[in-house]
Amino acid sequence: MSDATSVEHIEAMLRARGGRVTSTRRATIDVLVAGGHHRHLSADEVADEVRRAHPDVAESTIYRTLSALEELGVVTHVHLGHGPSTYHLADEGHRHLSCQRCGRVTEVPAWEFAELTTHLRETYGFVLSEEHFALIGSCRACAGA
Ligand SMILES: [Zn+2]
Ligand SMILES: [Zn+2]
Ligand SMILES: [Zn+2]
């Protein structure tokens, strides 16, 4: 796991942005760091994992914590399909390709979208938020089947 995803790094980022590091925030960050960048957990799944380690923390507190961490730019959410949105650590920016058949999520670097975002802005004045939703399609395995 890289330094960028260490709990210490994230807590330092939180403090730098004026956020306090509470025990619930730490527990929530622990769950997301344990997932690295490659797990995308719904709020319910985050709450379940936090409560497994800290049964005394109320679910509502964990949902509020997720929103607070998102406002502070430490966590982001993405919609991968029809289900609930999923949370993960904010990073330098990866995007998502989501398979509508098997549910596999492929992460791709943000620059893959550079040409499209520039074109849409210049042609239509439209600023694309391609980080907010996954592109939906069929993964290599499903497309070949
Ligand atoms: Zn991701
Ligand atoms: Zn697939
Ligand atoms: Zn959203």
Side-chain angles (χ1 to χ4, degrees), residues 70 77-79 85-87 132-133:
E70 186 160 29
H77 78 264
V78 60
H79 305 268
S85 62
T86 64
Y87 290 82
H132 195 173
F133 284 79

Side-chain angles (χ1 to χ4, degrees), residues 15-31:
R15 288 197 187 88
R17 293 175 186 186
R20 286 185 308 130
V21 179
T22 63
S23 58
T24 305
R25 286 182 176 183
R26 176 167 292 149
T28 303
I29 291 167
D30 277 346
V31 164

Side-chain angles (χ1 to χ4, degrees), residues 2 19 34 41-42 65-66 74 76 82 91 103-104 106 114 123 134 138 140:
S2 73
L41 301 174
S42 68
T65 300
L66 272 175
V74 172
T76 59
H82 293 294
D91 66 1
R104 178 197 300 269
T106 305
T123 310
S138 299
R140 195 198 303 273

Side-chain angles (χ1 to χ4, degrees), residues 44-59:
D44 284 351
E45 289 168 333
V46 172
D48 284 350
E49 291 203 18
V50 171
R51 280 162 56 80
R52 209 170 295 150
H54 307 271
D56 50 312
V57 180
E59 265 177 49

Side-chain angles (χ1 to χ4, degrees), residues 16 34 44 55-56 64 66 73-74 81-82 85 88-89 99 103 105 111 116-117 124 134 140:
D44 284 351
D56 50 312
R64 276 202 307 277
L66 272 175
V74 172
H82 293 294
S85 62
H88 58 182
L89 297 168
C99 178
V105 175
W111 54 256
L116 177 62
T117 53
Y124 303 99
R140 195 198 303 273

